[in-house]
Amino acid sequence: MDVNVQSSVFNHFYLATCLLCLSLLAGCQSTPANKSAILLAQQGNFESAKQAIRTDYSPNGKSKLLHYLELGMLNHLQGNYERSNVLLSEAQDIIEAQYTISVVESAVALVSGPTYTTYAGKIYHRPLINLYKALNYNALANRAGPNKQQYLDSAMVEMRQLDTYLSNLKEQTGGYNSAGDNEPTSDDLTNRIYRLIQPIFAPNDLLVNIDYKDDAFAHYVSGVLFERSNELDSARIQYQRALGAFENGFTKQYNLNDKKIVSQVHTDLIRVMTKAGGYKNEIRKLNKKLDKAPSVTKTPLLNVIQNVGIGPQRKEFNLLLKADHESKALVMTPILWGTEKERRAQMKWFQMLFADTSVFDIVQNYAMGDIGDVAMGALTKRIPLGPLWDDAQDVGLVQALEYGSRISVTYLEPLQQQVKSAEVWVNGKKTAELDKIYSVSLLTLQDALRNANSEIQVALTREIIKAITAQKTINATGLDQSFAGFAKFATSVVNAVTASADLRQWQSLPAQINYAQIPLSKGTYEITLKTHLSSGKVIEQSEAVTVSDNITLWHTRTFLQQSRVTAPESTFL
């Protein structure tokens, strides 16, 4: 058979086989246990939710962090605040211990896949652990009793730890993904491959606006808690840090109402300075920045934090990588799979990674659930190697990619803007509007995009090493050209089927957090939250809340779906 004809037949048959394998894999995929768990929790079925986590995430395995994060959040939602803090403390210890992934694990991951490493969480997980532990202590303080101040003191300990973490974060240079963080440190061939493709996938300069640089919301909650305990100097510092972060880009980055939030923090800062005394000049400067000087009330304040919805889910996205001899380039093509909505999202994700226009604008549209008109299947990414082509041939990369290689990475489903507005009603009377003050979904999305290039880079290195290793094995057998071609094709198919992405994430986090501050005299009130959805549905939640201090903080979780969910079978068995 003519070599060109044989190559063409192999290529078409390989692609068809890959698609068949992908369809089989897709049929075997199921909803992750932690996604099923939070869906069960929104129905109030907490025990089944916790059992799903215990079944799939061992407290001693590679995903042990998720065991403690998810159980910690489920107990938080259930009102088991002390138990929640025990579990979240375990999660915090794991994150600190896994700050540097071992060299051995990195080497294994390059050959076997990212799920063979111990899950270490995301950079923004540690602040959220401190935040939810503080909310747990605050909730325990709200139950009054002789230990009230003890719980408030514990909440402030969490906030001080958080402040130290954020201060160190802001002092770091080189961003959140320095070049050394992801570089393999195994054998020489692996390092040569990694260095060969590293310039190709260097992070786009347009991604600089989506780094996790600071946390204005965390600083603000710290200010509220310090003010509640009458630690006015600490409260002032935290409000100032929150104000600086909100004004200098936090509101824009996370699509918040800049004017209302900045005005709120201004008011809080002026109130604390007035209470403390000695800040007349600073207060005068702050008032000049506002359209109208805020009135400082002496009435006690109820601060309402509404955690809303469920964050987006990580899903698998596949790419086909081939070497083009004529143009001396690598060609990467998305393999679209799933529903029409999923395929459109996969194509838009691919466009976001390699867009020549403003990535920030595209991200904002994606965050609004608007993926626009996508030319399905019409996009490929051609990566000219130029003078690197000879190096690619020397290490066996070009020959290894003769039949292509499937690269498996992750993407996030588009964010759904389901909430139209939310209101606070006090004793049957509408009192305030809740404003979005934190977007966990957008934070998750931007982090995923920020890490997408390095994820593809490592995935490429892994699959290329597997292909080169298989090629060397075939050459060592001494098979003639025809059998060697079939052997290489067979190993390419095996590699395509075994390629996998790391879909692990802290799934029980909310999609967004809303906030309102209401002046109320001390006493017990029926607080009702009315959440208006884009569909026209209104979700109502009511609870008796006691305002016993000059500053009271109350939080709740609002789930937006009421679909029936059954407990999942284990996906790891």
Side-chain angles (χ1 to χ4, degrees):
M1 182 183 292
D2 183 82
V3 175
N4 291 332
V5 173
Q6 184 187 50
S7 177
S8 177
V9 171
F10 280 164
N11 287 343
H12 285 87
F13 187 51
Y14 171 73
L15 181 59
T17 306
C18 279
L19 291 175
L20 175 60
C21 293
L22 283 173
S23 67
L24 293 174
L25 288 172
C28 296
Q29 289 178 351
S30 59
T31 303
N34 52 351
K35 179 63 180 288
S36 295
I38 193 61
L39 294 178
L40 286 163
Q42 76 177 357
Q43 303 298 325
N45 197 346
F46 289 103
E47 294 311 313
S48 293
K50 288 190 282 189
Q51 185 56 44
I53 297 300
R54 295 189 191 100
T55 299
D56 273 46
Y57 301 104
S58 165
N60 301 308
K62 297 294 185 182
S63 299
K64 59 185 176 182
L65 177 59
L66 289 177
H67 174 91
Y68 292 104
L69 287 176
E70 301 293 6
L71 288 179
M73 181 61 78
L74 289 172
N75 278 279
H76 168 84
L77 295 173
Q78 201 173 8
N80 299 330
Y81 299 120
E82 290 178 306
R83 178 58 181 163
S84 174
N85 275 351
V86 170
L87 293 162
L88 291 177
S89 293
E90 290 282 354
Q92 183 174 322
D93 291 341
I94 292 171
I95 288 178
E96 292 174 353
Q98 285 296 121
Y99 186 76
T100 302
I101 298 177
S102 71
V103 173
V104 174
E105 282 203 342
S106 298
V108 171
L110 276 170
V111 177
S112 305
T115 56
Y116 285 83
T117 62
T118 300
Y119 181 66
K122 295 295 182 179
I123 192 169
Y124 54 87
H125 284 170
R126 167 63 190 280
L128 285 170
I129 288 173
N130 287 125
L131 179 65
Y132 280 104
K133 286 176 68 179
L135 290 178
N136 283 337
Y137 284 124
N138 177 80
L140 290 168
N142 287 343
R143 294 175 177 175
N147 296 325
K148 179 177 181 178
Q149 190 56 50
Q150 177 184 333
Y151 289 131
L152 291 176
D153 290 342
S154 296
M156 288 182 288
V157 168
E158 295 299 327
M159 292 295 95
R160 289 190 177 95
Q161 290 180 1
L162 174 57
D163 186 59
T164 299
Y165 179 89
L166 293 176
S167 295
N168 291 334
L169 183 65
K170 287 182 287 184
E171 291 177 359
Q172 291 177 0
T173 59
Y176 299 104
N177 284 303
S178 62
D181 288 343
N182 296 308
E183 186 170 352
T185 54
S186 53
D187 56 62
D188 182 63
L189 175 61
T190 299
N191 289 327
R192 289 181 67 186
I193 293 293
Y194 191 88
R195 286 193 294 268
L196 184 66
I197 64 177
Q198 189 173 25
I200 301 168
F201 293 98
N204 193 312
D205 289 340
L206 295 172
L207 296 178
V208 295
N209 291 323
I210 60 174
D211 281 342
Y212 178 67
K213 304 169 186 176
D214 195 4
D215 203 312
F217 173 66
H219 287 304
Y220 184 71
V221 174
S222 293
V224 172
L225 289 171
F226 280 120
E227 187 181 3
R228 179 174 189 182
S229 287
N230 205 37
E231 294 198 16
L232 300 182
D233 191 54
S234 294
R236 173 187 59 81
I237 292 171
Q238 292 303 319
Y239 284 144
Q240 286 175 329
R241 290 175 179 171
L243 182 61
F246 277 128
E247 287 184 319
N248 294 328
F250 193 89
T251 53
K252 180 181 179 182
Q253 182 175 350
Y254 297 109
N255 197 27
L256 309 176
N257 188 323
D258 181 272
K259 187 174 182 180
K260 290 190 70 174
I261 290 176
V262 169
S263 178
Q264 175 67 66
V265 184
H266 263 118
T267 301
D268 294 320
L269 180 55
I270 290 171
R271 182 182 63 253
V272 167
M273 286 180 168
T274 302
K275 286 181 182 179
Y279 293 96
K280 288 184 178 180
N281 291 335
E282 290 82 355
I283 292 172
R284 189 179 301 111
K285 291 178 182 179
L286 287 170
N287 283 331
K288 285 182 179 179
K289 296 173 67 174
L290 300 174
D291 295 334
K292 180 182 178 182
S295 58
V296 178
T297 178
K298 293 185 179 181
T299 305
L301 296 170
L302 173 64
N303 298 272
V304 178
I305 290 179
Q306 180 193 31
N307 295 270
V308 183
I310 300 170
Q313 182 181 339
R314 290 166 67 90
K315 294 185 176 181
E316 191 170 84
F317 177 36
N318 297 285
L319 306 163
L320 179 64
L321 180 72
K322 295 195 65 179
D324 186 340
H325 290 258
E326 290 187 13
S327 61
K328 293 185 176 181
L330 298 181
V331 180
M332 194 159 53
T333 306
I335 305 173
L336 307 181
W337 202 257
T339 65
E340 174 69 17
K341 181 180 177 182
E342 288 174 325
R343 295 198 305 272
R344 286 168 60 85
Q346 291 163 15
M347 180 57 75
K348 179 58 75 172
W349 191 266
F350 189 76
Q351 290 175 338
M352 282 193 288
L353 291 181
F354 304 109
D356 295 323
T357 55
S358 173
V359 172
F360 187 77
D361 291 340
I362 296 176
V363 171
Q364 294 293 352
N365 290 335
Y366 199 87
M368 297 298 291
D370 177 15
I371 58 176
D373 295 326
V374 181
M376 299 298 290
L379 185 65
T380 60
K381 175 65 176 178
R382 187 171 294 274
I383 309 161
L385 293 183
L388 296 176
W389 181 262
D390 291 338
D391 291 338
Q393 287 186 313
D394 288 343
V395 299
L397 187 155
V398 174
Q399 188 180 16
L401 294 178
E402 182 177 353
Y403 300 112
S405 181
R406 179 172 76 93
I407 310 301
S408 186
V409 292
T410 60
Y411 77 101
L412 282 182
E413 57 188 1
L415 312 186
Q416 298 299 312
Q417 299 301 310
Q418 297 175 276
V419 178
K420 184 177 181 181
S421 63
E423 305 162 349
V424 182
W425 291 59
V426 180
N427 291 342
K429 181 179 179 181
K430 181 180 176 180
T431 306
E433 294 276 347
L434 286 151
D435 294 301
K436 182 172 69 172
I437 194 171
Y438 200 62
S439 176
V440 181
S441 288
L442 194 48
L443 174 65
T444 306
L445 171 62
Q446 291 181 359
D447 177 80
L449 282 171
R450 185 65 182 83
N451 289 294
N453 273 317
S454 61
E455 183 186 14
I456 290 179
Q457 187 179 341
V458 172
L460 275 170
T461 302
R462 179 172 56 252
E463 297 309 317
I464 290 171
I465 291 299
K466 288 164 62 177
I468 290 175
T469 301
Q471 178 64 41
K472 288 181 177 178
T473 302
I474 292 169
N475 292 341
T477 62
L479 294 174
D480 63 38
Q481 185 176 356
S482 297
F483 284 106
F486 280 109
K488 185 193 295 184
F489 168 73
T491 56
S492 295
V493 171
V494 171
N495 286 345
V497 174
T498 57
S500 62
D502 191 353
L503 303 181
R504 292 175 294 182
Q505 68 177 109
W506 188 0
Q507 184 64 71
S508 57
L509 290 171
Q512 70 182 54
I513 299 177
N514 296 334
Y515 175 80
Q517 187 180 90
I518 307 165
L520 289 175
S521 300
K522 293 183 180 180
T524 300
Y525 301 86
E526 181 182 336
I527 303 298
T528 301
L529 301 188
K530 294 186 179 182
T531 306
H532 298 261
L533 306 186
S534 301
S535 62
K537 181 180 179 181
V538 179
I539 298 175
E540 293 192 18
Q541 301 166 264
S542 294
E543 186 173 328
V545 177
T546 299
V547 177
S548 58
D549 301 314
N550 289 329
I551 298 292
T552 299
L553 178 63
W554 173 72
H555 75 268
T556 191
R557 181 72 171 263
T558 302
F559 289 112
L560 305 180
Q561 301 293 332
Q562 300 297 323
S563 56
R564 180 63 58 185
V565 181
T566 56
E569 296 180 356
S570 174
T571 56
F572 292 165
L573 296 179

